[in-house]
Amino acid sequence: MSLSGMMRTGVSGMAAQANRLSTVADNIANASTNGYKRSRADFSTLVMPNLPGSYNSGGVTTSIRYAVSQQGALQYTTSVTDLAVNGNGFFVVQDASGTSFLTRAGSFVPDSNGQLVNAAGFYLMGYDFANGTPTAVANGFGGLDRVTVAQDELVAAASTNGMFSANLPAGADIVPAANLPSANAATAQYSAKSSMVVYDSLGGEVLLDLYFTKTAAGTWEVAVYDKAGASPNTGFPYASGPLATQTLDFDLTTGKLTGASATSVTANVPNGAAFELDLSKLSQLATDYTYFDSSRNGTAPSTIEQITISNDGTLYAQYANGSLRALFRIPLATARSPDMLQVLPGNVYTQSNASGDIQLGFPNEGAMGNVVSGALENSNVDIAEELTNMIESQRSYTANSKVFQTGADLMDILVNLKR
């Protein structure tokens, strides 16, 4: 037996246990760090070549692994911008220099510019609805912007779509073509009328007059006018023609719109946008004209009172008038082997050679988890387990030190044999 090999083996054992104790210390120190993933030291043997009649001791080496894919328990809070991922996926964050990383630490708060930043100083990234309905870039971070909630400005949005539901009287008289509202004559006749408020590009209210006129059995004309152009007391003639007209055809048996009928009408709102009004819920039954419901998007000038974040990652602004507007869609990222991601300071991760490529998607899609607003993910550290590991490592370290000490004593005896 080689005494020097024996001592070398004892040293490798002490070094391995020192590494294990280092991971234990790190885990205990970060037991209260949101989104922290525990580390562990995995041991593997070192074997030395042996000759017949002799044995050369090898030793032990360590590799550090991180339980990145193991989820911690969720702790619920009262802050809407505290975010957790329930299931697979990581938030995409960015440092001050613009480099992107992955994290599970979701304790975000707005900074002075309204940008959501976590405790480590990383900014939450998302897709802005200002650029259209977001689509995820599967294999890169292109198109992502810092999620920003500016609460110190007035915001208005033009109405672009809406819905109108009512019953049109089947027994209404047929109006001659010359007297239809679309002709915009003083002799105009109509079967039913309603009005609804929409918003222009500056958030100003625009009142639309909706005229429903029976032109034949089961056939109706819809004419949309700007109320501001109506003649005093009478309405017709308006200062200008209709903003839009449409023909509707009803099934005389069911009272529903036929499959070949138009189901909407699109009007260009003055100083606003093209407004598409869904009329698919209209009916024609043998009763009086009955209004049921209507809705439209768009907002009057108002400030953001609060934000809400749905489990599919969509961040909505709720305005003082109660309306909601989608601002950002928060994506999630993943890798083929999350446990092999490179761990960096600030509780963030980046791609490594062993992790595979990073891929992006939206929450609730495919294998991605969902976003939980008002919650934080606790670390996945088990204090009791770490204390047990600490005691085991301490004893193993002491035993390896005894091996080294014994080898040193025997080496002294060997050296002193000549004296």
Side-chain angles (χ1 to χ4, degrees):
M1 179 182 72
S2 170
L3 292 179
S4 61
M6 171 186 175
M7 296 170 65
R8 183 183 63 248
T9 301
V11 170
S12 72
M14 287 188 289
Q17 295 302 328
N19 286 341
R20 187 185 186 189
L21 284 170
S22 295
T23 63
V24 169
D26 224 4
N27 292 340
I28 293 177
N30 286 279
S32 299
T33 301
N34 294 320
Y36 174 79
K37 304 301 181 181
R38 64 183 179 86
S39 59
R40 73 175 189 271
D42 287 348
F43 297 162
S44 57
T45 58
L46 291 175
V47 179
M48 302 295 290
N50 291 301
L51 297 175
S54 67
Y55 180 79
N56 292 323
S57 59
V60 62
T61 185
T62 57
S63 59
I64 306 302
R65 298 288 180 86
Y66 294 88
V68 178
S69 59
Q70 179 183 343
Q71 180 164 340
L74 299 186
Q75 177 183 354
Y76 291 89
T77 71
T78 58
S79 174
V80 174
T81 57
D82 281 341
L83 302 177
V85 178
N86 186 20
N88 297 326
F90 301 83
F91 296 115
V92 180
V93 294
Q94 191 179 86
D95 63 10
S97 65
T99 305
S100 296
F101 302 94
L102 311 183
T103 189
R104 298 275 290 198
S107 57
F108 296 103
V109 295
D111 66 2
S112 59
N113 297 318
Q115 299 172 343
L116 295 184
V117 60
N118 68 9
F122 291 93
Y123 295 93
L124 179 64
M125 305 300 292
Y127 295 103
D128 195 339
F129 273 89
N131 301 321
T133 301
T135 55
V137 178
N139 59 347
F141 301 115
L144 289 172
D145 298 307
R146 292 182 180 180
V147 175
T148 304
V149 183
Q151 298 182 333
D152 57 352
E153 61 181 357
L154 289 173
V155 178
S159 298
T160 57
N161 60 77
M163 179 276 298
F164 188 87
S165 174
N167 177 72
L168 305 180
D173 295 332
I174 296 175
V175 175
N179 295 334
L180 290 176
S182 56
N184 194 25
T187 57
Q189 302 175 28
Y190 53 88
S191 307
K193 175 189 175 183
S194 287
S195 299
M196 65 182 302
V197 173
V198 297
Y199 296 101
D200 63 19
S201 299
L202 300 179
E205 291 188 358
V206 177
L207 191 60
L208 300 181
D209 286 339
L210 309 179
Y211 291 96
F212 300 93
T213 310
K214 188 175 182 180
T215 60
T219 303
W220 291 72
E221 177 195 85
V222 180
V224 183
Y225 279 90
D226 179 9
K227 179 70 173 180
S231 297
N233 302 321
T234 59
F236 289 99
Y238 282 75
S240 58
L243 301 177
T245 60
Q246 188 61 272
T247 300
L248 306 177
D249 294 313
F250 290 90
D251 188 305
L252 296 178
T253 303
T254 64
K256 304 295 184 181
L257 289 171
T258 65
S261 174
T263 57
S264 65
V265 59
T266 301
N268 291 317
V269 177
N271 301 319
F275 176 70
E276 182 180 7
L277 185 62
D278 181 6
L279 302 174
S280 60
K281 295 184 179 180
L282 288 177
S283 62
Q284 180 196 256
L285 299 175
T287 186
D288 296 335
Y289 173 69
T290 308
Y291 162 78
F292 294 118
D293 190 19
S294 64
S295 63
R296 46 93 189 100
N297 66 353
T299 61
S302 61
T303 57
I304 299 175
E305 285 206 334
Q306 63 179 3
I307 64 171
T308 60
I309 302 174
S310 63
N311 61 10
D312 67 354
T314 304
L315 185 150
Y316 296 92
Q318 181 171 344
Y319 295 92
N321 59 9
S323 61
L324 291 175
R325 178 188 174 196
L327 298 181
F328 285 90
R329 184 87 185 268
I330 300 169
L332 295 179
T334 189
R336 289 184 179 273
S337 180
D339 290 342
M340 300 303 291
L341 289 168
Q342 183 180 355
V343 181
L344 298 174
N347 208 6
V348 295
Y349 309 92
T350 190
Q351 179 180 328
S352 70
N353 292 333
S355 68
D357 293 336
I358 293 175
Q359 298 178 338
L360 268 66
F362 288 127
N364 290 336
E365 295 183 1
M368 295 294 186
N370 61 282
V371 174
V372 182
S373 175
L376 294 172
E377 181 182 358
N378 290 333
S379 71
N380 58 7
V381 174
D382 185 338
I383 291 293
E385 180 181 352
E386 298 302 325
L387 293 176
T388 301
N389 291 339
M390 182 173 62
I391 295 172
E392 291 179 356
S393 296
Q394 181 183 10
R395 291 177 176 175
S396 295
Y397 190 97
T398 301
N400 279 281
S401 70
K402 292 295 185 182
V403 171
F404 181 87
Q405 187 175 8
T406 300
D409 291 343
L410 294 176
M411 185 67 75
D412 286 342
I413 294 173
L414 181 62
V415 170
N416 291 328
L417 282 178
K418 190 176 180 181
R419 295 179 182 178

